C-alpha cells in the first residue's frame, strides 16, 4: 500500500511526508501489522487539525478511501489511544485542508 500511496501523493519513491494531527476518536490497541487508517481531517474550534478515522477500515471498501483526506499511521503493537492524542498522518494532496 505504501508505494501506491507515495505514487498517488506525488512523493519520490521511498519518501513519506508525515505530519501530526490530534485524534478525533479513541483507538484500540493495534495488532502485529502496521496500519494506515483512512481518515477525514477536521478543523477543531481551537484551530488544530483532527484526524477522524472512518469506522470501517476493510481493505475492500473504496468509498472511505475516496472520501479520505489522510491516513493515520498506526505502528505494530501500538497501544490504545484516547481522543486528543497526537498521531502521525500522511496527508493527501488536494485534501480538504491546506497543510
Amino acid at each position: 500500500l505504501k508505494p501506491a500511496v507515495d505514487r498517488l501523493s506525488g512523493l519520490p519513491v521511498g519518501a513519506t511526508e508525515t505530519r501530526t494531527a490530534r485524534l478525533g476518536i479513541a483507538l484500540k490497541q493495534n495488532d502485529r501489522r502496521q496500519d494506515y487508517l483512512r481518515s477525514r481531517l477536521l478543523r477543531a474550534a481551537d484551530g488544530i487539525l483532527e484526524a477522524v478515522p472512518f469506522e470501517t477500515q476493510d481493505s475492500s471498501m473504496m468509498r472511505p478511501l475516496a472520501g479520505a483526506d489522510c491516513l493515520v499511521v498506526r505502528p505494530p503493537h501500538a497501544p490504545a489511544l484516547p481522543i486528543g492524542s497526537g498521531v502521525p498522518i500522511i496527508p493527501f494532496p488536494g485534501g480538504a485542508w491546506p497543510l
Side-chain angles (χ1 to χ4, degrees):
L1 178 62
K2 185 180 179 323
V5 170
D6 287 351
R7 187 166 185 107
L8 289 170
S9 297
L11 295 174
V13 175
T16 302
E17 179 184 359
T18 59
R19 299 195 187 252
T20 301
R22 184 167 56 198
L23 192 56
I25 63 169
L27 292 177
K28 296 179 182 179
Q29 180 178 354
N30 201 17
D31 62 13
R32 59 179 165 56
R33 301 179 304 164
Q34 178 149 322
D35 288 330
Y36 297 87
L37 306 178
R38 292 162 283 191
S39 305
R40 294 286 302 171
L41 287 176
L42 306 171
R43 182 78 61 186
D46 61 4
I48 302 292
L49 280 177
E50 286 187 346
V52 181
F54 290 107
E55 185 175 327
T56 303
Q57 292 290 326
D58 187 278
S59 61
S60 67
M61 300 190 67
M62 297 308 291
R63 179 169 273 171
L65 180 59
D69 299 309
C70 70
L71 298 173
V72 170
V73 181
R74 294 282 288 158
H77 306 289
L81 292 175
I83 293 173
S85 298
V87 291
I89 64 167
I90 300 172
F92 292 161
W97 301 103
L99 298 172

